[in-house]
Amino acid sequence: RSLCKALRSAGLGYVADQVEACHTAFDGRKCSNGHHWAHPVKSCSIRLCAFDMRTRRAKVLRQFELIVAAMKDARFMVLSMRNARLGSLEKGLTELFEAFERLRHTSLWKKKVTGAIMALEITFNEEQKSWHPHLNVIFDGEYIPQAQLVKIWKRCTENKGHAAWIGKPRDLREVFKYVVKLQDITANPEAVAELLRATRGARFIRTYGSLYRLKVQDEETGPEQCPDCGSHEIERLGRVKTVFYDGQGILRFEGE
């Protein structure tokens, strides 16, 4: 409700209508392997929709859990720059991605990193009216000293680098977070409108090196597949009434 209110206040009533109609009715599904789940009759596919963010996040977690577990020596880094004021998020994102591209072309990256997965996360500070976009990166490769990473990141950001941290990956849910926390921005219609505008068409998760050709399910469009096993042999069971999210973020229905 707070998101729809902010969208209407920002003059985006047509988007608010889509969000309000999203996930209001569901059909049951069953795959050839016997898995059951619920599928929304209407999904707005808007990045700020709580349902959409939860679905995308669950897909990504399921896809990369085994990939990260199979890495020879998985490591985790966080890369950020100085906050961007309200009204300049698009510029801030451009500068962040450009700096990351410079990092990828350094001898350090080429020598130490075999494959990598990058996820964009954005936070908003209502008090300061500023954005804090940063990159969560899991990579397979050799140890990189913290001081060395900080030094090179500052150079890649032309001294706009705010922080760089590196360590062992812990909970993947901390890596592949929601794009933004809705409670951070829904009180500010201007911020809601800017985030939608600045991230339109953006890829929030990207892969590099040995993982470059991996098709990220978060961005995937195509035939529906089972969220449990990936099967495309699906039976539609008709409308269901009571649905819930399980521990993996998959929509289930009662009486399945």
Side-chain angles (χ1 to χ4, degrees), residues 20-41:
E20 285 184 335
C22 177
H23 284 67
T24 55
F26 304 86
D27 285 335
R29 296 284 197 270
K30 178 182 178 181
C31 79
S32 57
N33 293 316
H35 299 122
H36 295 76
W37 70 98
H39 185 80
V41 175

Side-chain angles (χ1 to χ4, degrees), residues 56-66 171-177 248:
R56 290 174 182 267
R57 184 172 183 246
K59 285 183 178 181
V60 168
L61 286 172
R62 290 196 299 273
Q63 179 183 15
F64 287 113
E65 185 175 19
L66 294 178
D171 191 339
L172 285 188
R173 289 173 295 183
E174 290 299 308
V175 178
F176 302 110
K177 295 181 180 180
Q248 301 299 317

Side-chain angles (χ1 to χ4, degrees), residues 68-69 71-76 138-141 167-169:
V68 173
M71 287 182 174
K72 183 178 180 180
D73 196 1
R75 300 182 184 277
F76 175 48
I138 288 186
F139 70 95
D140 194 8
K168 283 288 187 180

Side-chain angles (χ1 to χ4, degrees), residues 99-212:
F100 184 64
E101 284 302 301
R102 295 189 195 102
L103 176 64
R104 289 203 313 111
H105 287 85
T106 61
S107 57
L108 174 72
W109 181 279
K110 293 178 180 179
K111 180 180 179 181
K112 300 284 189 177
V113 179
T114 303
I117 308 164
M118 181 219 73
L120 172 66
E121 182 184 358
I122 304 171
T123 57
F124 180 71
N125 188 311
E126 174 62 27
E127 183 178 346
Q128 298 179 3
K129 298 292 188 295
S130 65
W131 299 99
H132 179 59
H134 48 284
L135 304 178
N136 297 322
V137 184
I138 288 186
F139 70 95
D140 194 8
E142 299 179 21
Y143 170 72
I144 301 176
Q146 172 84 21
Q148 187 178 13
L149 178 63
V150 170
K151 180 179 179 180
I152 291 181
W153 180 240
K154 283 187 175 181
R155 189 176 71 213
C156 292
T157 62
E158 299 175 343
N159 291 319
K160 296 178 183 177
H162 177 71
W165 181 89
I166 190 166
K168 283 288 187 180
R170 299 182 292 274
D171 191 339
L172 285 188
R173 289 173 295 183
E174 290 299 308
V175 178
F176 302 110
K177 295 181 180 180
Y178 297 112
V179 175
V180 65
K181 293 180 180 179
L182 287 179
Q183 61 265 34
D184 288 349
I185 64 171
T186 49
N188 192 317
E190 183 182 351
V192 170
E194 181 181 12
L195 183 64
L196 288 176
R197 182 176 62 252
T199 60
R200 184 179 294 115
R203 291 167 52 222
F204 285 77
I205 298 177
R206 308 180 186 188
T207 55
Y208 303 91
S210 60
L211 302 177
Y212 174 69

